[in-house]
Amino acid sequence: MAPTSTTGRRARPVPGRLFGTVATLVLLVGLAACSSEEPEREFLGVRRITVAMHNDLPGLSYSSNYDRSGLDFLMFQHIEEEIDVDFSEPVDVSSGDRVTQLIQRKADMTIASFSITADRMDEIDFVGPYLKTRQGFLVGPDGAGIERLADLRGSQICTWQGTTSVEALEGIRETAGADPVTLTDASDCIEQLIDGQVKAVSTDQAILYGFARQYEKEGLRVVPDVTIGAPQHYGIGLPKGHTADCRRLASWLKKHVGTSSWIRDVETSLPTLIEEDPGWISSHKPSAAEIEARSCRDSISP
Amino acid sequence: MTPEPPARGDTVTHGDNSPAIGFVGKLFLSVFLGDFVDFTDQAKRWSGWNWPPFLLVVSLGAYALIYAPDGPARQFLWVHLALGTAVALALVRLVLPARSARAHGRVLMSAAAVICSFAGVVGMDHLADHGEIDVTGRTRISGGTVTDSTVTNGSRLRLVVDSPADRSRLRLTLTVRDADKAAQFCAPETRYSAQLLGNTSTRVDDVRSGQTIGFPLGGLQGAIDVEITLLTEEGCRMNLFVTDAVLHD
């Protein structure tokens, strides 16, 4: 009688089994990847960031025929490249609405020559400064002889609502015997200066140099070396409650202000400032320590 | 006739005044240690003998608290702890039923309570002589702008402590804040220098808001007078005030 085999099937060799297992795993992982969508990224708690900007400050944030320009806009473009989320087209904001828009989440970020102050830090977070400036004076053809603060005695000086310039200008009545006038926005003050209704416009020099360049033909100029008030530190405004994102942005900004890109942006946007103030880097460029001291702070205490 | 040997725990005295010495000794023990188990049968029955050590501890504690000097609360921590422990031990000794604890345990409890209360009194006495004296409320700053008490870059101020220099050192913490919160944020870069008036060797430079500095007061007569110079960015208006001023050894 012929012998009967005791084994039903022959076992597959080890390399064959290993190949089969790996192939199955690859197939499963591939299927899982196809079945689930990639999670969308968020920044400041949203998937699409809306940035609020000025549209009437030449050199800083200016909009003409839907074409934006200026240092703030360049800063926006750098942030757009750095943060890997979608950004909407920037929305316009007036100086007086900057804090409110962030609190009401009509904007997620504000880049609008936004001075960091102790009061504002109570309501919103800042990342900055990305530029330092001081409050100066813009005069027209009528003010050719104005070289000192005392030369403004008895004249009307214009600024606009919602800026820190209003507070600094309040003291000028005592210090220089001038009369401060507060109008609605920047264009109102510039119109009145060109028309000769006010002797000077006073706000941050970075803004004034932008106007001086745009209205060069009208004879507007910034009075050199005449400043009032405390230094202004421009920061990026954020709503409170996003500390990790705020810190990430602050960390990026500390690196950015140390690059040639930052210098190039200022040179491109504010050429008159560069011409008038050869030592502009030491007076306008913030240090990493200044950024650290003012960014993402919940308290102004030391 | 041979006298019977004394029972365990009994005291045997001899001589003319022997009973009196034994009585006084036991009374002393009873008053100061509260242990009268071996005193007399009468005393055992009268639980009022438990009270003297408790009252002694409470009296010492009250004395220490009444004569406590002024100063930061943290330095009194161990004194209060000792007094609290003493009262707690005395209280436990008072309410503890006589049969629930051994005589030695009760004696130790009473002794510990009395020692703790004495330690509290001695500690309080030490603090009165060498402890920290909080003089924050006795300081005044002069020299800022008269109208709104703001200071600017280069402002020189005088900080006077209206208190005799009862200790060898002064510890000082000043806070500098923005006076015009709506228009500036200059506090991070603001610094000040300080020195005891007329003593340049005590000068401390580059002090930040909230940073604590110290001055040696050795040999100083009269009021303590510190000169402060503010260093901030041009145009910044600041307020400066004393957060903490403490005299210590």
Side-chain angles (χ1 to χ4, degrees):
Chain A
M1 190 172 130
T4 311
S5 173
T6 55
T7 55
R9 280 191 305 173
R10 257 184 51 198
R12 277 163 58 193
V14 170
R17 277 192 296 175
L18 191 64
F19 176 77
T21 310
V22 169
T24 311
L25 278 173
V26 167
L27 185 68
L28 285 171
V29 168
L31 284 171
C34 289
S35 63
S36 66
E37 288 178 12
E38 191 179 325
E40 288 188 43
R41 293 177 187 85
E42 284 191 354
F43 193 76
L44 303 172
V46 292
R47 288 172 182 160
R48 180 179 285 265
I49 303 282
T50 304
V51 178
M53 305 187 80
H54 283 308
N55 64 354
D56 57 351
L57 302 180
L60 281 174
S61 190
Y62 194 71
S63 176
S64 175
N65 297 325
Y66 304 103
D67 193 16
R68 286 185 184 268
S69 63
L71 184 69
D72 286 348
F73 183 66
L74 293 174
M75 183 61 64
F76 162 72
Q77 287 184 319
H78 290 305
I79 292 170
E80 200 176 13
E81 285 167 18
E82 174 66 21
I83 308 296
D84 193 17
V85 288
D86 290 338
F87 281 76
S88 309
E89 274 298 305
V91 294
D92 295 336
V93 66
S94 66
S95 297
D97 288 340
R98 288 173 293 186
V99 173
T100 319
Q101 276 206 0
L102 282 174
I103 291 172
Q104 295 176 350
R105 290 310 289 258
K106 290 177 181 169
D108 306 304
M109 188 185 288
T110 297
I111 311 173
S113 53
F114 203 0
S115 291
I116 301 172
T117 69
D119 270 352
R120 287 172 179 164
M121 284 176 75
D122 287 339
E123 299 182 271
I124 58 169
D125 272 343
F126 280 100
V127 171
Y130 59 87
L131 184 75
K132 292 195 296 178
T133 184
R134 281 186 171 275
Q135 184 167 345
F137 296 89
L138 182 74
V139 293
D142 294 347
I146 295 171
E147 298 299 334
R148 298 171 302 142
L149 200 58
D151 295 335
L152 291 165
R153 180 170 295 278
S155 51
Q156 288 199 316
I157 301 170
C158 186
T159 193
W160 56 94
Q161 293 168 358
T163 71
T164 52
S165 307
V166 177
E167 274 81 11
L169 206 55
E170 275 170 9
I172 204 166
R173 211 186 296 268
E174 289 79 36
T175 54
D179 185 20
V181 178
T182 306
L183 299 182
T184 309
D185 56 39
S187 57
D188 296 334
C189 278
I190 298 297
E191 273 176 31
Q192 291 217 353
L193 179 66
I194 292 168
D195 293 347
Q197 293 176 51
V198 295
K199 194 82 168 182
V201 172
S202 180
T203 190
D204 303 337
Q205 282 185 328
I207 297 171
L208 296 180
Y209 277 115
F211 280 121
R213 185 171 177 80
Q214 190 173 44
Y215 295 97
E216 204 172 1
K217 287 177 187 170
E218 284 79 0
L220 302 194
R221 68 175 180 97
V222 177
V223 183
D225 302 326
V226 176
T227 60
I228 57 168
Q232 299 298 305
H233 303 87
Y234 286 174
I236 300 159
L238 304 176
K240 279 200 178 289
H242 304 281
T243 310
D245 291 338
C246 186
R247 292 242 163 259
R248 184 182 158 195
L249 204 55
S251 179
W252 166 80
L253 185 64
K254 277 190 258 183
K255 287 180 202 152
H256 176 69
V257 296
T259 62
S260 59
S261 171
W262 182 87
I263 295 173
R264 212 166 37 245
D265 288 352
V266 181
E267 284 172 343
T268 311
S269 307
L270 300 165
T272 316
L273 186 151
I274 312 301
E275 287 163 20
E276 298 283 331
D277 184 3
W280 69 274
I281 290 185
S282 62
S283 55
H284 290 75
K285 183 179 159 181
S287 67
E290 285 172 320
I291 296 172
E292 181 64 33
R294 288 171 175 79
S295 296
C296 319
R297 288 185 59 162
D298 284 331
S299 162
I300 58 164
S301 305
Chain B
M1 182 181 159
T2 306
E4 287 184 11
R8 184 182 170 85
D10 283 355
T11 304
V12 178
T13 56
H14 300 283
D16 292 342
N17 297 318
S18 296
I21 292 165
F23 178 84
V24 170
K26 287 173 180 176
L27 180 64
F28 180 86
L29 282 172
S30 175
V31 168
F32 288 98
L33 299 177
D35 181 25
F36 50 85
V37 172
D38 297 329
F39 186 42
T40 63
D41 288 345
Q42 281 182 328
K44 269 183 180 175
R45 284 193 293 274
W46 185 51
S47 61
W49 285 112
N50 278 316
W51 285 92
F54 177 74
L55 292 175
L56 177 68
V57 165
V58 170
S59 304
L60 287 171
Y63 171 83
L65 292 176
I66 288 167
Y67 291 99
D70 291 333
R74 60 179 164 72
Q75 71 176 343
F76 296 104
L77 181 68
W78 72 270
V79 175
H80 289 157
L81 210 61
L83 293 174
T85 306
V87 172
L89 283 169
L91 201 62
V92 170
R93 169 68 185 85
L94 185 71
V95 299
L96 202 67
R99 291 182 182 178
S100 68
R102 287 189 175 181
H104 284 95
R106 296 206 303 276
V107 169
L108 280 174
M109 212 178 284
S110 299
V114 173
I115 288 167
C116 279
S117 56
F118 268 113
V121 170
V122 170
M124 201 65 91
D125 190 53
H126 174 81
L127 288 176
D129 290 338
H130 302 285
E132 295 185 345
I133 304 170
D134 187 347
V135 289
T136 311
R138 282 181 267 171
T139 57
R140 58 190 160 84
I141 293 178
S142 57
T145 307
V146 179
T147 49
D148 56 2
S149 72
T150 59
V151 286
T152 54
N153 185 36
S155 291
R156 284 175 188 270
L157 306 168
R158 279 183 67 189
L159 185 153
V160 179
V161 181
D162 287 324
S163 166
D166 285 338
R167 298 288 184 271
S168 62
R169 295 186 68 83
L170 170 68
R171 192 171 65 228
L172 201 59
T173 311
L174 303 182
T175 298
V176 189
R177 291 215 176 123
D178 287 273
D180 196 353
K181 288 177 68 183
Q184 63 178 53
F185 186 46
C186 301
E189 285 82 33
T190 301
R191 301 284 186 272
Y192 67 88
S193 62
Q195 71 168 63
L196 281 176
L197 204 65
N199 188 350
T200 51
S201 65
T202 60
R203 187 180 173 91
V204 189
D205 287 313
D206 202 31
V207 188
R208 283 180 288 107
S209 173
Q211 188 179 339
T212 300
I213 53 174
F215 296 104
L217 301 174
L220 187 73
Q221 301 292 320
I224 303 162
D225 206 335
V226 181
E227 187 181 64
I228 293 163
T229 308
L230 193 82
L231 297 166
T232 187
E233 293 229 47
E234 209 58 54
C236 293
R237 294 167 61 239
M238 311 303 290
N239 288 137
L240 186 142
F241 50 92
V242 180
T243 311
D244 198 26
V246 175
L247 293 171
H248 67 105
D249 280 335

